[in-house]
Amino acid sequence: MKRKWGLSAAALLLTAAVILPGCANKEQAPKEALKSAAIKATTLKSYEMKSKLVINNLAIDAPANGESDGSTAQVLSMLKNADITIDGVYQADPMQTEMTMVLNLKGDMTMSFTIPMVITKEKVYFKIPSIPFLPLPETVVGKFVELDLKELAEQGGTEWNPGSLDTQKMQKLSNEVLNTLMGEYDDTTYFKNIKPKDAALPEGVEADQVVQFNVTNDNVKEALTILVNNALPKIIDIVSKPEYKDVLKIDDADMAKFKEELNSSDARAEFDKDLADLGKYLTINKFNLNTAINKDDFPVYQDLLMDIKVNDPDKGENVSLSLTASNQYSKINEKQTFTIGIPQGDDVITMDELQQEFGSIGSSY
């Protein structure tokens, strides 16, 4: 069942590359519009963003004579209708990002908490929230924990590499991967234009073109075959390039082993068998990703609608998941305003100090 879950996930993850900032001329074909997106993404120097993820449904149907798991039921109750929102600001030079994440859990244990974060070239800061039912030391709640990326690398026995946060190089990598991936898929089968007035865009979002990428039960087997047999080998060659080593930190030996396993006869046979049985354990009710592009050829809004069911015939379990997600971009390449700023002074504690605070709480019991 583990590999079946993996194959089901791959059917969805193959769309990850199109969830990148995009652009398009309104006269372009849908696929060409998204391929142009990667090129335009390299000009993104700053922006504001608003993201939201809502879990509309999450359920596990087990046999009537099966044993019930109280903890699982409680988690499912909390996650159903839960939502996560992120408001953020980004600039490339000097590299600085700040975002505020708000998590709202529903069900029998309704709760909500907010986590502000700040990211610079060498450090990450996150604010410790007050979380209901979780006894955190009062001395740390509301403080920013400072993570020194250089120190963490050294503690982990690796050399600190500032290139791992090279956003320009990551954009170039995304460009190559996206162009390669999109080139393998048929325009009319997987992509289409939607009239902006029919795309349910939020108020204030103006778009000249909306492109939809979709995976259905009818094309999921073909999509996976194209991904594994055509696109994946080419993408592996791209990420193996020396120029991307400092960003991805991929070990040559691990990559060689992965290529060998991917091309082995056993792996091919296993993939073909799972693909043939795909309809038994995966149902895609809906999987659509829309990208809205404004008159300046920048993405201003994206939304994802996913409604799937994964079955385990051996156990008789059915997992249903339905969610919606969206990203909205504004103030593209404008001067940004950072409301949090770089935390400093008494508002900041180190990870060592945080561990000491928790240690003192534990020793008091």
Side-chain angles (χ1 to χ4, degrees), residues 81-156:
N81 296 320
D83 66 75
I84 301 174
T85 62
I86 299 176
D87 292 345
V89 179
Y90 163 82
Q91 72 176 22
D93 188 19
M95 193 283 186
Q96 184 175 343
T97 301
E98 69 177 36
M99 60 185 71
T100 299
M101 180 179 73
V102 179
L103 175 61
N104 295 306
L105 299 177
K106 310 296 173 64
D108 297 333
M109 298 179 64
T110 300
M111 68 179 72
S112 176
F113 51 90
T114 302
I115 305 177
M117 296 182 63
V118 175
I119 304 172
T120 65
K121 192 172 184 178
E122 294 187 354
K123 294 184 178 181
V124 174
Y125 305 84
F126 66 90
K127 193 173 186 177
I128 301 178
S130 175
I131 303 177
F133 311 112
L134 184 60
L136 297 175
E138 294 183 0
T139 52
V140 302
V141 172
K143 300 281 189 179
F144 279 93
V145 178
E146 177 186 277
L147 301 177
D148 190 305
L149 301 179
K150 183 177 181 180
E151 289 183 1
L152 289 176
E154 292 173 349
Q155 290 173 4

Side-chain angles (χ1 to χ4, degrees), residues 28-289:
Q28 285 185 303
K31 186 172 74 171
E32 292 305 312
L34 290 178
K35 289 176 69 175
S36 298
I39 299 175
K40 191 70 175 187
T42 61
T43 69
L44 283 170
K45 307 298 183 183
S46 66
Y47 53 80
E48 282 189 5
M49 65 169 287
K50 293 180 180 293
S51 300
K52 186 171 185 177
L53 171 68
V54 180
I55 300 176
N56 302 311
N57 182 51
L58 177 59
I60 298 179
D61 298 327
N65 59 351
E67 296 183 2
S68 61
D69 187 332
S71 60
T72 300
Q74 187 178 54
V75 171
L76 293 178
S77 174
M78 293 175 63
L79 292 179
K80 187 175 181 179
N81 296 320
D83 66 75
I84 301 174
T85 62
I86 299 176
D87 292 345
V89 179
Y90 163 82
Q91 72 176 22
D93 188 19
M95 193 283 186
Q96 184 175 343
T97 301
E98 69 177 36
M99 60 185 71
T100 299
M101 180 179 73
V102 179
L103 175 61
N104 295 306
L105 299 177
K106 310 296 173 64
D108 297 333
M109 298 179 64
T110 300
M111 68 179 72
S112 176
F113 51 90
T114 302
I115 305 177
M117 296 182 63
V118 175
I119 304 172
T120 65
K121 192 172 184 178
E122 294 187 354
K123 294 184 178 181
V124 174
Y125 305 84
F126 66 90
K127 193 173 186 177
I128 301 178
S130 175
I131 303 177
F133 311 112
L134 184 60
L136 297 175
E138 294 183 0
T139 52
V140 302
V141 172
K143 300 281 189 179
F144 279 93
V145 178
E146 177 186 277
L147 301 177
D148 190 305
L149 301 179
K150 183 177 181 180
E151 289 183 1
L152 289 176
E154 292 173 349
Q155 290 173 4
T158 60
E159 183 179 353
W160 163 240
N161 182 13
S164 61
L165 294 177
D166 189 335
T167 56
Q168 299 298 311
K169 190 173 291 188
M170 283 300 299
Q171 288 172 346
K172 181 182 177 183
L173 171 61
S174 298
N175 181 10
E176 289 196 54
V177 171
L178 178 60
N179 279 323
T180 298
L181 183 60
M182 293 299 101
E184 300 297 332
Y185 289 92
D186 178 67
D187 202 332
T188 58
T189 302
Y190 299 95
F191 307 90
K192 67 179 179 180
N193 281 322
I194 298 177
K195 294 181 180 179
K197 65 182 181 65
D198 297 330
L201 301 176
E203 184 177 356
V205 173
E206 298 181 358
D208 281 10
Q209 181 176 7
V210 178
V211 178
Q212 182 177 95
F213 177 88
N214 68 89
V215 176
T216 67
N217 278 327
D218 294 332
N219 64 28
V220 64
K221 287 187 178 182
E222 179 190 67
L224 279 171
T225 301
I226 292 172
L227 172 67
V228 173
N229 294 338
N230 300 3
L232 190 55
K234 295 179 181 179
I235 292 174
I236 291 174
D237 289 338
I238 292 174
V239 300
S240 299
K241 289 183 177 181
E243 61 195 280
Y244 298 130
K245 281 189 175 181
D246 57 345
V247 175
L248 300 176
K249 296 186 179 300
I250 295 177
D251 183 78
D252 290 339
D254 291 340
M255 182 58 69
K257 183 178 180 181
F258 177 72
K259 286 182 179 181
E260 182 180 351
E261 292 177 349
L262 182 67
N263 295 321
S264 69
S265 57
D266 289 343
R268 291 290 178 181
E270 184 176 2
F271 172 75
D272 290 340
K273 181 181 183 302
D274 286 345
L275 192 65
D277 296 337
L278 189 65
K280 297 179 181 179
Y281 55 85
L282 174 65
T283 301
I284 299 179
N285 297 319
K286 187 164 289 188
F287 194 96
N288 296 334
L289 174 71

